[in-house]
Amino acid sequence: VPLDLPRNERQNLLLFFFFSIPVVLAAVVLVGFLMSQWALHPVKVMTRRVREMGTAGRLSDRIPIPAPSDEIRKLAETFNGLLSRLEGAFDSQDRFISNASHQLKTPLTILKGELNMIKKGNPNEAELKEFLGSAGAEIEHMINLVEDLLMLARLEAGKDTLTMKPVLLDEVLLNIVSRIQKIAKHKNVQISTSF
């Protein structure tokens, strides 16, 4: 029996394995790479968007949410929720700083004005006592303001609750007018009230 036929079959099989298997493997690798690129495209979009948000410093931007309901969509929704909480925290901090600086400015202005009056003139004992009483009242007012601002920060953070109670409005207004009159007096402005 001639052995040419089995030798030819063996050579054909070897050629098939040497050429077709690498081609098939290369095709599988290429298809796998393309599929992974397609599957990870939303993640790349999210990464690029987060990088842009980081360089621009805008927390109001959100990540686009992909249409399919999968893990990537859940990740985008979770990240957008985190951005919303961060934006709220930064807004709360900005409001707190704005309130604190605005509220503390008035008592400091009053103290500065009274210190200037003491420095310019030669105060007698009664004027000195009046100044010390006024300075003590302004310092007490600043302490109360700081406590109120800390309570405001706790309220905005959800760590405390607010209890409402009636307030005598005329007392509040008289207190404000008496404090403002100190500033007005230094600027030669007269404030009058009538109830």
Side-chain angles (χ1 to χ4, degrees):
V1 177
L3 294 175
D4 292 339
L5 184 63
R7 276 190 215 134
N8 286 341
E9 288 296 323
R10 193 175 83 201
Q11 280 181 337
N12 288 341
L13 276 173
L14 287 174
L15 286 173
F16 174 76
F17 284 125
F18 280 128
F19 289 109
S20 63
I21 289 180
V23 169
V24 169
L25 284 175
V28 167
V29 167
L30 180 65
V31 168
F33 176 75
L34 293 175
M35 288 187 70
S36 69
Q37 291 298 313
W38 174 77
L40 293 176
H41 178 71
V43 174
K44 288 181 180 179
V45 169
M46 289 170 55
T47 304
R48 185 176 64 244
R49 188 63 179 254
V50 170
R51 193 174 296 128
E52 290 170 359
M53 288 168 28
T55 57
R58 291 186 313 248
L59 287 175
S60 59
D61 291 350
R62 296 294 178 260
I63 294 173
I65 297 177
S69 183
D70 57 2
E71 285 76 16
I72 295 176
R73 180 185 179 103
K74 290 176 187 173
L75 177 65
E77 290 171 345
T78 303
F79 201 80
N80 283 341
L82 175 67
L83 285 173
S84 296
R85 288 192 298 278
L86 277 174
E87 184 180 16
F90 278 113
D91 288 346
S92 175
Q93 180 183 3
D94 288 344
R95 280 194 308 274
F96 178 78
I97 290 170
S98 175
N99 285 337
S101 62
H102 177 72
Q103 293 295 326
L104 291 173
K105 196 173 186 179
T106 303
L108 290 173
T109 304
I110 292 171
L111 282 173
K112 182 180 177 184
E114 297 211 354
L115 280 173
N116 285 337
M117 291 289 287
I118 294 292
K119 201 164 61 171
K120 285 181 184 176
N122 192 7
N124 60 28
E125 191 174 328
E127 289 173 334
L128 203 54
K129 278 187 176 181
E130 182 183 342
F131 163 73
L132 290 174
S134 174
E138 291 305 320
I139 290 171
E140 187 65 34
H141 182 70
M142 282 194 289
I143 290 170
N144 290 336
L145 275 175
V146 169
E147 288 174 359
D148 289 347
L149 289 170
L150 289 174
M151 178 183 283
L152 178 66
R154 286 193 306 266
L155 286 171
E156 286 188 355
K159 295 179 180 177
D160 208 347
T161 57
L162 187 66
T163 56
M164 303 292 237
K165 63 180 182 178
V167 175
L168 297 174
L169 194 57
D170 56 346
E171 284 181 15
V172 173
L173 291 174
L174 286 174
N175 187 16
I176 291 171
V177 168
S178 69
R179 292 186 65 241
I180 297 297
Q181 278 183 338
K182 295 173 187 175
I183 298 173
K185 181 180 172 184
H186 298 301
K187 296 186 178 190
N188 295 327
V189 175
Q190 181 65 35
I191 297 176
S192 62
T193 58
S194 62
F195 291 98

